[in-house]
Each structure stands twice: as structure tokens, then as C-alpha cells.
Amino acid sequence: MTINTIEKNQTLEDMGLIKDGKIININPAKITEIVSEHVIDSQADLDKKLKKSQEAFLKWKKLPAPTRAQYLAKANIIFAERKEELSLILHRENGKPLEEARGEIQEIIDVFEFFIGEGRRMYGTTGQSEMPNKTIMTIKQPIGPAVFITAWNFPAAVPSWKAAPALICGNTFILKPSELAPLSGKLFVDVLNEAGLPEGVAQCAFGAGDVGEYLAKHELTKIVSITGSVAVGRHVAEIAANGFKKCALELGGKNSTIVLKDADLDLVEDGVLWGAYGTGGQRCTSTSRLIIEKSISSEVISRLEKRSKALYDETNNKCAINYAPIINKKQLEKIHRMVEEAIKEGAELVCGGKILDDGTHNGYFYAPTILKVKHGMKISTTEVFGPVLSVIEIDEKDKETALEKAMIIANDIEYGLSNSIFTKDVNLGMQAVHDFESGLVYLNAPTIGAECGGASQFGGWKNTGNGSRESGIAALETYTQYKTIAIDYSGKLQRAQID
Ligand code: NAD
């Protein structure tokens, strides 16, 4: 089995990050700084939490949805009041630039605002009965305790994508945040409890993959929502399927931006730079492949190279404050290994390709990297989850054929999360939007930056997920089951399809 539970446990222990039954969380931009410590839950602790979740569910589900919304509204006031404090903690915990951390906390507020409104909607449907004096309607009802297993790259916002719809629909939850960044998730749950949520409605559990697995398998767990890698997601999906649990999978990505020769190159430069290197390339939606027409490729590459190099100060071994570190040494080394292997396989290194700081000076930083590659090389099809952009050139006589070829490459991948195209040709732009095989698609914008405050239905196709969506209205599907109610007021037996 290729899951990394055990491997991760060992690694954390090897690195001294699990000690005396505690997770020790350090700032990856300043590794001497311990950000938080959390006691790892034992199975007995988890049993207690699940029992509490089940008991709380029986009461929480009975509250009218507008009343549940009032709790979320109270929590949102606290999130807004504590935005700066939570952003600073997130910035230290995960290392992402403060500006990005502020954006992430704002996302919680936006998501909550959206789902608070849902407390007064949550519409069902009415059907047309085939018989007189009979009404048929379908309502949505909660399912039961949910378990959220999350990744470290958006440790504050992603729990809110899951919690807000789960709670408004009447479910309770236990969040198992990533062992690499558990504090923001804990604080998220603390705020909900500070807002007065009944005991047991929102809880947190700490540990690595084995804790997630125990929670997912438990008979009291009725919904499992996981954000993480494809390998772990597949394993969790098997567990959920075995227990007939609702399961939402938000997994990895390998996202492409296509650039046609008529594109606004200033916009391309800004967009690709942000898409590839925002959050240090550690977003599931990060731009990992640039598929570009050959006639403009040299110019775009040289502009990107210049801007990439400006993100860090090599002489003084310092990184600009707006460039994120890599989460840990293991991941830093993995990224570097992937780049080295790509070069061995024939990729041409344009810039970067080196560890800027392996922790010796202050943190774990990798130089923003550009590689010229051929489609089919390992680096062009595997998720790197770091600041590495693979450029693939398309050499065709016209834009139409170039788009056709680019689209084949963009879609020839196991993932289906986010893709984008830059062009001024509205017809070609719209054809691309239609033909990309991914859950998120952008026209004249990078692959990152989904508006998760309700407008987007966030999620992926293919191996990126199983059709579930987060942060938009479709998220309600994960946390509800339908009940069809037939009311016969004819006063006699009416037999469907017979009378
Ligand atoms: P990961 O799969 O290693 O871990 C994710 C979570 O799963 C962690 O909390 C971990 O403890 C837990 N876990 C590990 N093994 C488990 C098991 N056997 N059973 C239950 N839980 C287990 O991923 P990561 O390194 O934390 O995050 C990076 C990955 O997440 C990337 O692939 C990235 O693309 C993806 N991601 C996806 C989205 C999305 O919305 N699609 C968002 C953010 C990150």
C-alpha cells in the first residue's frame, strides 16, 4: 500500500517532531521556533470524542437551521475580531506570507457568511403526485457525526469549507488537522466553541495518519471528508466505502496554464508567477505546467526567470517576505530530487533547481524553478507540490491547431483540478473553458485563486476527487441525505401505478 501514514509517523519521530506522545509543530520559515505542541489522541480519547459527537448530534440536528445559523454568525463575529491574531499564528505555523495568511482567515469569514444564509434556505423540492389529493416533497436532513481530515497547506480555511456546510445542515464533526500544521485547525474549533456551540458539536483530534484512519473507520462516523494526496484519499475512500459512509475527496492536482500567442504577456507574466509560486507552489491548484506557443515562449520564459530570481536574495541567502517556505525538510528534499531526476531525464533547467536554505540559516526554502520539458517526462505528469514550473512548447502554424495540441497535453493527466488559458481570442478561450477536463477553469487568470466564499464549487475531476464539492452550495450534498415525504389527504387508499 502506498499510503504514507507509517512513513510520516516515522519521519516526524525521526525529526523529533513527535515526542513523548506530543506533536511538536515548528515554523518552517524559522525552524528554531516551536509554534505549538499537541497531545496525540489515544484510541480511548478518540472513542470518547466520537461518543460525544454522536450525543451532540442527536440534539444539534433538532435545532431549526436558522438557529444553527445564529451560532455560526456569532462565531463569524469572533473570526472577524481575531482576524489579525489568527493570521499571525497561521503565518508562523505554516510559514506562508502574512498577506496570504490574512487572505486565508478572510476566507473562513466569507465561507461562514455564505452558509449562514443557507440556514434560511436549504430548499428541498416538491413533486407532482400522479394522484389527486396527495403531495410529495423531498427535504434534506443531516447524516451524523462527520470526520474531517485535512492537509497542512490551508490549515485554517479548508476546515471551514467542511465545517460550515456540515454544521448548518445539522451534523457534528471532529477535525483531524494535519500533523504538520495542527494549530490553526485547533483555533478554528476553539472559536466555534467560544461562540457557544453546544458541547461536542465541534471537536478536534490530534495525530498523524493512524488517528485519521481510526476516526474514518469508526462505526459512529457517518461522513468522512478528506483533503490530501491521491494515495491517502484512495485508501480513505476504500475505508468509507466499506462502512457505507458518505465520503468527500479533495485530492492532488497537476494544473496547466495554456498561453496562446495573442495573449496579453504582461498579464501572463503576473498570472503565471502567482500561480506557480504563490504559497511556494504548495497549493493543490498551483500552476505546474505552462503549455505555450513556441513563438512567444522565449520572451515569456525570460520574463518569468527575471521575476523568479527577484523572489529571493541569493547572495545573502535570504528569501523575500512574500515567498513561502517548504513545509518540512522531507518535502524540500523530495522537490529537489524530482528536479534532479527531471534534468537527468532531459529537462533543461532555466533557473532555480536548488535548495536555498535547508534549515541551516532560518527555514526550508527552495528556489523558484523553471524547467523546459517534453510532455510525458515524469516531472510533467507528477504532482511536485513545490515551486517548480514545467514549460512545454507547442510549435504549430496557427492558434487553432496549437490549442488543439495544448488541450490534448493538458488533459492527458490523472488529475483534474484546475486549468487556465490566456488568450484574447474569445472563441478559442471559450472552447478551452469547455474542453478542459477539470473542476476549475480560468480564462485570462492563473490556476489558483478560486473564490471560495460561496461563488465557486471547489473540487476536481478524475483522480482529484469523487465528485464532491466544497465551499459552494454543492457542499450541502456531502452533509445531507434526502427524505421524500408523501402526504395523502384523499381519505382513501391510493395505490401508486395501479389505481
Ligand atoms: P497527505 O495525504 O499526506 O495527508 C493529508 C491528511 O491525511 C493528513 O491529515 C494526514 O495525517 C492524513 N492521513 C495520512 N494517512 C492517512 C490514513 N491512512 N488514513 C487517514 N488519514 C490519513 O497530504 P498532505 O501532504 O498533508 O497534503 C498535500 C496534498 O494535499 C497534495 O496532494 C495536495 O494537492 C492535496 N490538497 C488538495 C486540496 C484540494 O482541495 N483538492 C487542498 C489542499 C491540499
Side-chain angles (χ1 to χ4, degrees), residues 5 8 150 152-153 176 179 213 227-229 251-252 284 383:
T5 322
K8 275 209 159 167
T150 52
W152 46 265
N153 62 337
K176 204 297 284 170
E179 59 276 28
E213 183 154 345
T227 297
S229 58
L251 310 176
C284 48
E383 184 181 38

Side-chain angles (χ1 to χ4, degrees), residues 286-423:
S286 289
T287 310
S288 196
R289 307 194 299 171
L290 177 65
I291 308 171
I292 186 164
E293 285 201 75
K294 193 162 192 244
S295 56
I296 50 161
S297 144
S298 299
E299 182 179 349
V300 169
I301 290 174
S302 90
R303 286 185 188 210
L304 289 172
E305 182 185 356
K306 202 165 153 214
R307 294 278 300 277
S308 302
K309 285 181 172 163
L311 286 173
Y312 64 97
D313 169 0
E314 196 171 1
T315 327
N316 296 307
N317 205 0
K318 274 192 188 143
C319 296
I321 49 164
N322 60 351
Y323 184 56
I326 305 303
I327 191 70
N328 63 13
K329 195 163 185 164
K330 182 185 167 204
Q331 181 64 11
L332 183 74
E333 286 166 353
K334 183 185 151 205
I335 293 167
H336 190 49
R337 223 173 24 248
M338 287 181 81
V339 171
E340 284 184 326
E341 281 167 12
I343 294 168
K344 267 193 212 140
E345 207 188 334
E348 184 189 323
L349 182 67
V350 176
C351 65
K354 61 189 164 200
I355 292 173
L356 289 175
D357 187 354
D358 63 355
T360 314
H361 298 279
N362 44 37
Y364 302 127
F365 285 93
Y366 199 75
T369 298
I370 301 176
L371 293 166
K372 279 173 82 172
V373 310
K374 295 263 178 291
H375 176 56
M377 285 179 179
K378 195 171 168 205
I379 195 89
S380 78
T381 51
T382 317
E383 184 181 38
V384 179
F385 220 53
V388 179
L389 180 69
S390 294
V391 182
I392 301 168
E393 287 177 344
I394 302 286
D395 193 8
E396 293 297 331
K397 58 179 186 335
D398 55 49
K399 281 187 299 181
E400 287 74 12
T401 338
L403 177 60
E404 255 172 53
K405 201 151 179 200
M407 195 55 70
I408 290 169
I409 294 171
N411 288 337
D412 181 22
I413 198 104
E414 70 165 301
Y415 306 97
L417 185 51
S418 184
N419 287 300
S420 81
I421 180 163
F422 285 86
T423 178

Side-chain angles (χ1 to χ4, degrees), residues 1 92 320 482:
M1 198 161 36
R92 285 175 60 226
Y482 289 105

Side-chain angles (χ1 to χ4, degrees), residues 3-6 8 149-154 158 161 176-180 207-214 216 226-233 235-236 239 249-253 282-285 327 331 383 385 415 417 458-460 464 470:
I3 59 162
N4 44 9
T5 322
I6 306 304
K8 275 209 159 167
I149 301 170
T150 52
W152 46 265
N153 62 337
F154 279 84
V158 166
W161 296 2
K176 204 297 284 170
S178 166
E179 59 276 28
L180 300 180
D210 52 342
V211 169
E213 183 154 345
Y214 186 81
I226 176 162
T227 297
S229 58
V230 171
V232 170
H235 180 65
V236 169
I239 292 172
L249 304 172
E250 302 298 335
L251 310 176
Q282 298 160 106
R283 292 192 185 202
C284 48
T285 51
I327 191 70
Q331 181 64 11
E383 184 181 38
F385 220 53
Y415 306 97
L417 185 51
F458 190 93
T464 297
E470 296 206 306

Side-chain angles (χ1 to χ4, degrees), residues 418-482:
S418 184
N419 287 300
S420 81
I421 180 163
F422 285 86
T423 178
K424 286 187 194 140
D425 186 323
V426 68
N427 290 350
L428 293 185
M430 287 308 294
Q431 284 168 29
V433 162
H434 187 267
D435 291 342
F436 276 130
E437 293 172 1
S438 55
L440 304 167
V441 169
Y442 297 86
L443 179 54
N444 291 321
T447 56
I448 69 171
E451 285 190 48
C452 291
S456 302
Q457 314 281 4
F458 190 93
W461 291 14
K462 302 180 180 174
N463 287 1
T464 297
N466 58 349
S468 58
R469 288 294 178 266
E470 296 206 306
S471 86
I473 194 77
L476 298 180
E477 294 298 320
T478 300
Y479 301 102
T480 47
Q481 52 195 344
Y482 289 105

